């Protein structure tokens, strides 16, 4: 029983350490497993640990991604080129609609 508690404590600390290193960026379980070098057989236990941490308020969960509560991503907050906001930018019109707007030549 003590070995199980010891493994759980090490797993918990490894997950928290990687979330600290992420500096506010949300990480998937797969990414956390890779970064912490946890064995694939520990996936269920890692998920359980992350759910417990989220229940305690130490970790925030956004869908299937996890991050430290209160941590903010580094940077000035401006959107990255090619980031999600680039998908929302209006595209230049082309085709027949653009020709109709231009009028007769």
């Amino acid at each position: 029983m003590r070995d199980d508690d010891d493994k759980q404590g090490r797993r918990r600390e490894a997950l928290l350490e990687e979330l600290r290193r992420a500096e506010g960026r949300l990480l998937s379980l797969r990414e956390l497993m890779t970064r912490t070098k946890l064995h694939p057989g520990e996936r269920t236990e890692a998920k359980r640990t992350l759910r417990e941490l989220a229940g305690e308020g130490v970790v925030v969960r956004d869908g299937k991604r996890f991050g430290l509560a209160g941590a903010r991503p580094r940077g000035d907050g401006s959107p990255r080129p090619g980031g999600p906001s680039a998908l929302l930018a209006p595209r230049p019109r082309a085709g027949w609609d653009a020709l109709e707007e231009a009028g007769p030549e």
Side-chain angles (χ1 to χ4, degrees), residues 26-93:
L26 298 177
L27 302 175
S28 67
L29 178 62
R30 176 183 284 183
E31 197 168 1
L32 282 165
M33 295 281 295
T34 302
R35 287 177 173 216
T36 56
K37 297 183 173 96
L38 290 175
H39 188 276
E42 295 181 83
R43 181 179 173 86
T44 301
E45 289 85 5
K47 284 169 52 173
R48 185 175 295 129
T49 301
L50 288 167
R51 279 196 303 266
E52 289 172 2
L53 289 168
E56 295 169 11
V58 177
V59 168
V60 293
R61 182 177 181 174
D62 183 16
K64 293 185 177 184
R65 297 190 177 275
F66 299 88
L68 282 181
R72 295 189 179 248
R74 289 179 58 184
D76 61 359
S78 61
R80 295 186 319 259
S85 60
L87 299 175
L88 302 175
R91 295 186 333 196
R93 297 185 72 173

Side-chain angles (χ1 to χ4, degrees), residues 1-12 42 45:
M1 183 72 174
R2 181 170 177 201
D3 288 338
D4 290 340
D5 290 341
D6 204 24
K7 281 184 181 180
Q8 185 176 5
R10 283 197 307 257
R11 186 181 311 113
R12 180 182 173 107
E42 295 181 83
E45 289 85 5

